[in-house]
Amino acid sequence: MTTSFPVRTLGTSGPTVSALGLGCMGMSALYGETDRAESIATIHAALDAGVTLLDTGDFYGMGHNELLINEALRTAPAALREQALTSVKFGGLRDPDGGWSGYDGRPGAVKNFAAYSLTRLGVDHIDVYRMARLDPDVPVEETVGAIAELIQAGHVRHVGLSEVGADTIRRAAAVTPISDLQIEYSLISRGIEDRILPTLRELGIGITAYGVLSRGLISGHFSRDRELAATDFRAHTPRFQGTNLDRNLGLVEELRQVARDKGVSVAQIAIAWVLSRGDDIVPLVGARRRDRLDEALGAVEVTLDADDLAAIERAVPAGSAAGNRYPDAQMSALDSEK
């Protein structure tokens, strides 16, 4: 087991975690077919490398992802199991056909969701608990207040937020300490830099950044002729469509040259860029296979100097991506985009 993997602290009130976390969603849903054995092996490999933060959601595969993590933890060596921290999103409502029917942030629902997650994960507490999206019908104060009560009862350690804007962040932080905001942040998704990031830093709240490779789009491995399965949500995502995809893959080719000059992969330089944005940011890598995990973990060894950063900015200027990061219906549900 690696003992020197770098660590970061989630805000002034949150836990100390590995500088990269493992996002486990794709092991259960939304990216087409999955491989249970390889997923568990990948979680084990991440823990063995020194990764401590496992990120999931109770609605990923309707509980499948939490059960997968349960199995991975149960079959991991005790020392690795004990170092693992769980970050769980809740509140997304699903129907039997896999559709979405809104979000539920009522205090009673919060505690109900937590009870099921604790059982599926097989743990006695959740390290960071957060609502996946703001419930427009429930004040955020009530939702985070319910998580604070779970902390008092010993079932949760820290309150997190997900995809909310600056005003909501301030309201939540006035009720209880917030460890971090989970939000998309990458070379081609930089919307947080205007208002959200300054607000977080003013309040001492960290960031767990997902989508750092924009769902594989800027990994260097995605090609124009790749066919996406009907169950792969990228098939319906604007950035992966038509001329948008052509434009975005053109940016990747520009980035590939920068990576080549640096002697690293495209994925590594894209992850290293997010790491370079501040010690209060912990990128989540969504590796589903051990080879992709190994590549991603190599990003912590990449140091970007001023010339490197300038070259990256020239290759992928802020605002240069084509298409939204979600379809319109999902964009409208993002408090962070309002």
Side-chain angles (χ1 to χ4, degrees):
M1 179 177 65
T2 299
T3 58
S4 59
F5 199 88
V7 298
R8 294 183 170 186
T9 301
L10 294 180
T12 56
S13 67
T16 297
V17 302
S18 50
L20 292 179
L22 181 63
C24 300
M25 180 187 76
M27 297 177 179
S28 295
L30 300 177
Y31 286 105
E33 292 186 6
T34 60
D35 183 329
R36 188 178 191 87
E38 181 61 22
S39 295
I40 290 173
T42 300
I43 294 173
H44 286 170
L47 294 171
D48 188 61
V51 172
T52 61
L53 183 63
L54 303 178
D55 183 79
T56 185
D58 63 7
F59 48 88
Y60 292 167
M62 279 71 85
H64 178 280
N65 204 239
E66 291 179 321
L67 292 170
L68 181 77
I69 291 173
N70 180 328
E71 183 177 350
L73 293 177
R74 281 190 292 105
T75 55
L80 299 184
R81 181 168 62 249
E82 292 167 5
Q83 78 182 20
L85 292 94
T86 53
S87 169
V88 180
K89 290 178 289 299
F90 67 88
L93 303 178
R94 309 296 299 272
D95 63 36
D97 296 320
W100 299 86
S101 52
Y103 300 93
D104 193 343
R106 295 172 300 163
V110 173
K111 295 174 183 179
N112 177 75
F113 290 134
Y116 279 85
S117 285
L118 288 164
T119 299
R120 283 191 293 257
L121 286 165
V123 297
D124 61 8
H125 71 273
I126 295 166
D127 293 286
V128 187
Y129 201 47
R130 68 184 88 243
M131 181 129 178
R133 299 288 187 268
L134 182 68
D135 182 342
D137 298 322
V138 178
V140 70
E141 291 87 348
E142 294 184 16
T143 302
V144 298
I147 303 175
E149 291 177 4
L150 288 169
I151 292 175
Q152 293 173 356
H155 302 305
V156 171
R157 293 288 186 267
H158 304 278
V159 181
L161 298 171
S162 177
E163 286 288 357
V164 294
D167 294 340
T168 303
I169 293 166
R170 290 187 185 281
R171 289 171 53 194
V175 173
T176 187
I178 305 297
S179 66
D180 66 307
L181 171 71
Q182 187 169 122
I183 196 164
E184 186 166 353
Y185 188 41
S186 73
L187 272 168
I188 63 171
S189 295
R190 297 177 61 172
I192 71 169
E193 293 177 349
D194 294 333
R195 290 190 62 215
I196 293 174
L197 186 55
T199 300
L200 295 172
R201 287 177 168 163
E202 174 191 338
L203 298 175
I205 298 171
I207 299 172
T208 42
Y210 75 89
V212 294
L213 296 179
S214 198
R215 299 164 183 83
L217 180 58
I218 60 171
S219 67
H221 301 298
F222 199 91
S223 63
R224 183 68 179 84
D225 58 357
R226 179 172 174 177
E227 293 187 12
L228 297 173
T231 54
D232 190 324
F233 87 112
R234 292 175 295 185
H236 313 287
T237 302
R239 285 183 178 170
F240 287 83
Q241 306 301 310
T243 57
N244 288 348
L245 179 59
D246 294 334
R247 163 65 176 168
N248 295 331
L249 290 180
L251 296 174
V252 174
E253 290 310 305
E254 294 295 324
L255 186 62
R256 193 185 304 278
Q257 184 58 55
V258 180
R260 186 179 294 118
D261 292 344
K262 187 71 176 174
V264 300
S265 73
V266 176
Q268 287 170 339
I269 205 163
I271 297 168
W273 180 87
V274 179
L275 282 165
S276 77
R277 306 305 283 177
D279 291 340
D280 53 351
I281 301 175
V282 174
L284 300 173
V285 296
R288 299 191 293 165
R289 302 184 340 224
R290 283 167 286 180
D291 59 337
R292 293 287 192 254
L293 174 69
D294 287 343
E295 179 184 25
L297 296 184
V300 300
E301 304 295 332
V302 179
T303 300
L304 301 176
D305 60 25
D307 289 341
D308 296 326
L309 292 170
I312 292 169
E313 291 282 351
R314 288 193 298 271
V316 189
S320 58
N324 285 331
R325 55 195 180 103
Y326 287 108
D328 290 346
Q330 294 181 50
M331 289 293 290
S332 68
L334 296 176
D335 183 69
S336 56
E337 295 286 340
K338 297 176 181 177

